[in-house]
């Protein structure tokens, strides 16, 4: 299987209705997506995919590759050198895994489309993802004796903070004996 969940791929334009591709029949409803970019949402070990736009059973033979922007010659050369530098002895090299018994040079010369797909996949897998951060206010109840936090509670948005903190502290103190105080803190967290 060439693709994984979340990949945006192009459906081939030259597919023929009622023809079999990698063991699956291409139907007339599927033909409405020829040339379109679609999104893989399930990958099945039996050799087919489902897409967000129209379920069915799509195979590698029906898809022409990742729909991401095309690689420039400079990008392709840079990615190829990064792959080779990471895998000096070819162990774990995605091209080495795909070439079988061919030499690396022959594979890159004779199977340019496959090499480009490997390079695109590598680029996508190694892109830095933008990290999204969100903030939230919390009320912490602190033990006045040892300074340890005994309770931490997220505060509701849009509510009077003073009243809510007083209420949380009063409730905790009514259930526990001791000297306690409350702090309000703002936390920044990476969105999951």
């Amino acid at each position: 299987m060439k693709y994984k969940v979340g990949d945006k791929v192009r459906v081939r334009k030259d597919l023929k209705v009622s023809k079999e591709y990698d063991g699956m029949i291409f139907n007339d409803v599927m033909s409405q997506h020829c040339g379109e970019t679609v999104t893989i949402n399930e990958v099945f070990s039996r050799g087919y995919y489902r897409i967000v736009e129209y379920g069915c059973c799509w195979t590698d033979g029906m898809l022409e590759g990742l729909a991401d922007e095309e690689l420039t010659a400079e990008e392709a050369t840079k990615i190829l050198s990064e792959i080779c530098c990471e895998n000096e002895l070819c162990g774990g090299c995605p091209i080495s895994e795909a070439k079988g018994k061919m030499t690396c040079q022959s594979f890159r010369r004779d199977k340019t489309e496959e090499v480009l797909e490997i390079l695109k996949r590598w680029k996508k897998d190694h892109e830095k993802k933008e990290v999204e951060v969100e903030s939230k206010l919390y009320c912490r109840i602190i033990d006045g004796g040892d300074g340890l936090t005994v309770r931490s509670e997220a505060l509701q948005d849009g509510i009077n903070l003073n009243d809510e903190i007083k209420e949380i502290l009063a409730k905790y103190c009514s259930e526990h004996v001791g000297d306690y105080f409350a702090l309000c803190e703002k936390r920044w967290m990476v969105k999951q």
Side-chain angles (χ1 to χ4, degrees):
M1 306 292 296
K2 291 182 179 180
Y3 310 108
K4 62 184 181 188
V5 172
D7 281 350
K8 295 199 177 299
V9 296
R10 285 183 307 276
V11 177
R12 287 176 38 194
K13 293 177 184 175
D14 61 345
L15 298 169
K16 305 288 183 223
V17 172
S18 299
K19 186 173 180 203
E20 188 176 303
Y21 296 89
D22 301 325
M24 296 291 175
I25 303 294
F26 184 74
N27 66 42
D28 57 341
V29 177
M30 295 166 82
S31 71
Q32 296 170 14
H33 297 283
C34 285
E36 290 183 5
T37 297
V38 296
T39 307
I40 305 286
N41 71 341
E42 285 184 84
V43 178
F44 295 90
S45 59
R46 289 176 264 153
Y48 65 92
Y49 309 95
R50 286 197 196 276
I51 62 169
V52 171
E53 295 74 8
Y54 175 68
C56 266
C57 299
W58 299 81
T59 65
D60 287 333
M62 298 173 188
L63 306 170
E64 63 181 16
L66 292 171
D68 297 338
E69 61 189 60
E70 297 300 317
L71 293 176
T72 64
E74 182 180 343
E75 283 179 307
T77 303
K78 183 178 178 194
I79 292 169
L80 190 55
S81 69
E82 287 173 5
I83 289 172
C84 288
C85 288
E86 268 186 21
N87 303 285
E88 289 180 31
L89 300 175
C90 298
C93 171
I95 292 175
S96 182
E97 292 169 7
K99 70 179 180 62
K101 296 195 182 293
M102 293 176 78
T103 64
C104 218
Q105 293 80 0
S106 298
F107 183 77
R108 291 189 313 221
R109 181 191 63 227
D110 300 339
K111 306 282 187 174
T112 54
E113 288 302 315
E114 287 181 55
V115 171
L116 282 172
E117 286 303 313
I118 291 168
L119 297 179
K120 287 179 190 178
R121 161 71 54 224
W122 194 92
K123 178 184 177 186
K124 184 176 184 207
D125 290 346
H126 288 79
E127 283 178 343
K128 292 188 178 182
K129 307 285 189 257
E130 186 175 322
V131 177
E132 290 187 56
V133 176
E134 62 187 350
S135 64
K136 183 87 176 141
L137 288 173
Y138 281 80
C139 174
R140 286 187 14 204
I141 307 298
I142 309 294
D143 185 323
D146 59 17
L148 297 175
T149 300
V150 292
R151 179 172 178 82
S152 181
E153 188 174 318
L155 300 173
Q156 296 177 22
D157 293 330
I159 295 199
N160 183 312
L161 290 179
N162 289 332
D163 292 343
E164 189 175 2
I165 292 169
K166 283 180 191 176
E167 185 179 313
I168 292 169
L169 179 60
K171 183 174 190 280
Y172 188 85
C173 289
S174 70
E175 297 168 353
H176 300 85
V177 177
D179 180 28
Y180 302 101
F181 63 93
L183 292 177
C184 179
E185 69 181 8
K186 190 170 197 171
R187 295 181 193 171
W188 285 263
M189 298 157 288
V190 175
K191 283 186 179 180
Q192 298 297 327

